[in-house]
Amino acid sequence: SKAYDPATAETHVKLVMTNGVPVLRIMHQKLRGLVFTRVARHLRVSQCLGSLQGKEWFMAFAAPTPGRPAPDPADITAFRIPGDRIIKLHVGTWHAGPHFTHDECLFLNLENEDTNTKDFEDAVLPQPCMIEI
């Protein structure tokens, strides 16, 4: 059998972290509920998020919309994410979250150090959206 080579494994998640200095943060989030009125995107970097305490959580996504300032609300889909998973957002993916119903939650967040200041676009949705569980 062939030896495992992490550099060539097709199952590895490909990250775009070359447009800045990557940082791994631990975010302590208070109850956010399941309603959102905005979505955001990052055009220079992929982002990874995961719960650190085994608590399930939710994210809403829409595919990248190059050249458009916002996604169509009909294109936004929410997902329940088990507490033992880390997700990767492709560059340009619209997202809202993390959302959860716990009093608080810790999240691992891998992005560039300036993602939320120099690579952050957000859009206000025409009406509030609620994640149904």
Side-chain angles (χ1 to χ4, degrees):
S1 80
K2 192 169 142 181
Y4 172 70
D5 180 0
T8 61
E10 291 183 23
T11 58
H12 283 208
V13 175
K14 306 294 188 242
L15 300 174
V16 177
M17 305 301 288
T18 56
N19 296 319
V21 178
V23 293
L24 180 63
R25 294 186 175 101
I26 306 300
M27 302 185 315
H28 179 229
Q29 300 284 312
K30 298 287 184 181
L31 176 66
R32 298 185 76 172
L34 301 177
V35 176
F36 60 96
T37 58
R38 306 174 91 84
V39 290
R41 67 178 172 182
H42 312 296
L43 296 175
R44 294 180 13 226
V45 67
S46 43
Q47 181 179 15
C48 297
L49 289 168
S51 170
L52 293 179
Q53 299 165 305
K55 297 176 180 178
E56 78 172 9
W57 52 292
F58 303 86
M59 282 286 287
F61 301 100
T65 56
R68 288 184 37 217
D72 183 324
D75 294 335
I76 299 171
T77 303
F79 292 87
R80 178 189 310 257
I81 302 169
D84 61 351
R85 303 288 192 278
I86 296 173
I87 62 167
K88 178 230 175 181
L89 285 68
H90 292 293
V91 172
T93 300
W94 289 103
H95 58 283
H99 290 276
F100 50 90
T101 58
H102 315 289
D103 289 336
E104 61 184 4
C105 203
L106 290 175
F107 288 92
L108 167 137
N109 181 15
L110 175 64
E111 61 187 359
N112 283 342
E113 67 182 355
D114 65 354
T115 294
N116 289 317
T117 57
K118 294 186 178 174
D119 185 24
F120 182 87
E121 287 185 36
D122 68 338
V124 176
L125 298 170
Q127 62 190 37
C129 295
M130 177 158 185
I131 299 170
E132 295 182 16
I133 54 175

